[in-house]
Amino acid sequence: MQGYLDPEYFLTHKLTDKSDVYSLGIVFLELLTGMQPISHGKNIVREVLKWTHLSGVLGSLLINIAVTTLSSDP
């Protein structure tokens, strides 16, 4: 289960709808990248953020979509 739980859960010990979205996002990243959530001390989210930062416009678009989706309240 490690790698699928959102970081906020570790602070609050409460699962929310956002926790589900985070976990689903990790599954999507696994499918898109072929990486495990945590492998050899590397976190998939950090690695994808590095890639998107290096890839410019596409990276900005993906980050904006993710931030908008995760930060909007239902």
Side-chain angles (χ1 to χ4, degrees), residues 1-70:
M1 249 342 194
Q2 188 177 13
Y4 295 97
L5 293 175
D6 73 300
E8 190 174 310
Y9 170 76
F10 292 106
L11 298 173
T12 64
H13 298 287
K14 294 180 183 176
L15 294 172
T16 65
D17 290 342
K18 290 181 181 181
S19 301
D20 291 339
V21 171
Y22 182 90
S23 299
L24 183 59
I26 296 297
V27 172
F28 286 150
L29 287 177
E30 275 187 284
L31 292 171
L32 290 170
T33 65
M35 294 176 60
Q36 294 292 314
I38 297 175
S39 179
H40 304 290
K42 293 183 178 184
N43 180 294
I44 192 172
V45 174
R46 287 190 196 114
E47 293 303 307
V48 170
L49 286 174
K50 284 182 199 174
W51 297 339
T52 57
H53 178 71
L54 295 174
S55 68
V57 175
L58 177 59
S60 296
L61 177 63
L62 292 173
I63 289 172
N64 286 335
I65 291 169
V67 167
T68 302
T69 302
L70 292 174

